[in-house]
mmCIF file of all heavy atoms in Angstrom:
data_model
loop_
_atom_site.group_PDB
_atom_site.id
_atom_site.type_symbol
_atom_site.label_atom_id
_atom_site.label_comp_id
_atom_site.label_asym_id
_atom_site.label_seq_id
_atom_site.Cartn_x
_atom_site.Cartn_y
_atom_site.Cartn_z
ATOM 1 N N GLN A 156 0.442 -16.221 22.609
ATOM 2 C CA GLN A 156 1.290 -17.351 22.245
ATOM 3 C C GLN A 156 0.526 -18.642 22.486
ATOM 4 O O GLN A 156 -0.048 -18.844 23.555
ATOM 5 C CB GLN A 156 2.565 -17.342 23.082
ATOM 6 C CG GLN A 156 3.497 -18.488 22.782
ATOM 7 C CD GLN A 156 4.714 -18.490 23.677
ATOM 8 O OE1 GLN A 156 5.151 -17.453 24.151
ATOM 9 N NE2 GLN A 156 5.258 -19.664 23.918
ATOM 10 N N GLU A 157 0.503 -19.494 21.477
ATOM 11 C CA GLU A 157 -0.194 -20.771 21.595
ATOM 12 C C GLU A 157 0.756 -21.958 21.592
ATOM 13 O O GLU A 157 0.373 -23.047 21.969
ATOM 14 C CB GLU A 157 -1.216 -20.922 20.466
ATOM 15 C CG GLU A 157 -2.349 -19.925 20.577
ATOM 16 C CD GLU A 157 -3.445 -20.182 19.563
ATOM 17 O OE1 GLU A 157 -3.154 -20.729 18.470
ATOM 18 O OE2 GLU A 157 -4.599 -19.843 19.861
ATOM 19 N N GLY A 158 1.986 -21.745 21.165
ATOM 20 C CA GLY A 158 2.918 -22.860 21.128
ATOM 21 C C GLY A 158 4.304 -22.420 20.712
ATOM 22 O O GLY A 158 4.525 -21.275 20.331
ATOM 23 N N LEU A 159 5.245 -23.347 20.821
ATOM 24 C CA LEU A 159 6.645 -23.102 20.475
ATOM 25 C C LEU A 159 7.067 -24.114 19.425
ATOM 26 O O LEU A 159 6.870 -25.320 19.601
ATOM 27 C CB LEU A 159 7.539 -23.235 21.710
ATOM 28 C CG LEU A 159 9.043 -23.190 21.476
ATOM 29 C CD1 LEU A 159 9.476 -21.802 21.020
ATOM 30 C CD2 LEU A 159 9.795 -23.601 22.737
ATOM 31 N N HIS A 160 7.629 -23.634 18.339
ATOM 32 C CA HIS A 160 8.212 -24.500 17.310
ATOM 33 C C HIS A 160 9.724 -24.518 17.544
ATOM 34 O O HIS A 160 10.391 -23.517 17.312
ATOM 35 C CB HIS A 160 7.935 -23.956 15.904
ATOM 36 C CG HIS A 160 6.506 -23.869 15.531
ATOM 37 N ND1 HIS A 160 5.738 -24.975 15.257
ATOM 38 C CD2 HIS A 160 5.688 -22.792 15.362
ATOM 39 C CE1 HIS A 160 4.516 -24.587 14.926
ATOM 40 N NE2 HIS A 160 4.456 -23.268 14.995
ATOM 41 N N ARG A 161 10.257 -25.629 17.998
ATOM 42 C CA ARG A 161 11.696 -25.760 18.249
ATOM 43 C C ARG A 161 12.426 -25.894 16.914
ATOM 44 O O ARG A 161 11.981 -26.621 16.034
ATOM 45 C CB ARG A 161 11.962 -26.998 19.113
ATOM 46 C CG ARG A 161 11.225 -27.043 20.448
ATOM 47 C CD ARG A 161 11.754 -26.090 21.441
ATOM 48 N NE ARG A 161 13.196 -26.231 21.496
ATOM 49 C CZ ARG A 161 13.952 -25.857 22.492
ATOM 50 N NH1 ARG A 161 13.422 -25.284 23.531
ATOM 51 N NH2 ARG A 161 15.238 -26.012 22.451
ATOM 52 N N GLY A 162 13.548 -25.185 16.753
ATOM 53 C CA GLY A 162 14.316 -25.269 15.517
ATOM 54 C C GLY A 162 13.475 -24.991 14.287
ATOM 55 O O GLY A 162 13.620 -25.639 13.256
ATOM 56 N N TYR A 163 12.611 -24.001 14.359
ATOM 57 C CA TYR A 163 11.612 -23.718 13.327
ATOM 58 C C TYR A 163 12.233 -23.424 11.963
ATOM 59 O O TYR A 163 11.788 -23.925 10.947
ATOM 60 C CB TYR A 163 10.739 -22.549 13.774
ATOM 61 C CG TYR A 163 9.673 -22.150 12.792
ATOM 62 C CD1 TYR A 163 8.539 -22.940 12.623
ATOM 63 C CD2 TYR A 163 9.787 -20.996 12.032
ATOM 64 C CE1 TYR A 163 7.551 -22.585 11.717
ATOM 65 C CE2 TYR A 163 8.801 -20.631 11.133
ATOM 66 C CZ TYR A 163 7.693 -21.422 10.978
ATOM 67 O OH TYR A 163 6.715 -21.065 10.085
ATOM 68 N N ALA A 164 13.254 -22.570 11.942
ATOM 69 C CA ALA A 164 13.850 -22.179 10.658
ATOM 70 C C ALA A 164 15.323 -21.826 10.844
ATOM 71 O O ALA A 164 15.753 -21.461 11.943
ATOM 72 C CB ALA A 164 13.108 -20.991 10.068
ATOM 73 N N MET A 165 16.065 -21.922 9.754
ATOM 74 C CA MET A 165 17.466 -21.522 9.797
ATOM 75 C C MET A 165 17.559 -20.021 9.544
ATOM 76 O O MET A 165 16.917 -19.494 8.632
ATOM 77 C CB MET A 165 18.282 -22.264 8.758
ATOM 78 C CG MET A 165 19.751 -21.867 8.787
ATOM 79 S SD MET A 165 20.780 -22.940 7.783
ATOM 80 C CE MET A 165 21.009 -24.265 8.965
ATOM 81 N N ARG A 166 18.362 -19.348 10.381
ATOM 82 C CA ARG A 166 18.620 -17.924 10.217
ATOM 83 C C ARG A 166 20.106 -17.715 10.429
ATOM 84 O O ARG A 166 20.621 -17.993 11.508
ATOM 85 C CB ARG A 166 17.792 -17.100 11.206
ATOM 86 C CG ARG A 166 18.038 -15.601 11.050
ATOM 87 C CD ARG A 166 17.230 -14.785 12.025
ATOM 88 N NE ARG A 166 17.660 -15.111 13.379
ATOM 89 C CZ ARG A 166 16.955 -14.823 14.463
ATOM 90 N NH1 ARG A 166 15.785 -14.251 14.373
ATOM 91 N NH2 ARG A 166 17.414 -15.140 15.655
ATOM 92 N N ASP A 167 20.767 -17.244 9.417
ATOM 93 C CA ASP A 167 22.190 -16.925 9.490
ATOM 94 C C ASP A 167 23.011 -18.101 10.034
ATOM 95 O O ASP A 167 23.871 -17.943 10.887
ATOM 96 C CB ASP A 167 22.396 -15.671 10.341
ATOM 97 C CG ASP A 167 23.735 -15.002 10.063
ATOM 98 O OD1 ASP A 167 24.327 -15.266 9.000
ATOM 99 O OD2 ASP A 167 24.193 -14.226 10.920
#
Side-chain angles (χ1 to χ4, degrees):
Q156 179 183 332
E157 293 187 332
L159 172 68
H160 298 288
R161 304 288 311 201
Y163 180 74
M165 180 169 277
R166 180 180 64 197
D167 201 19

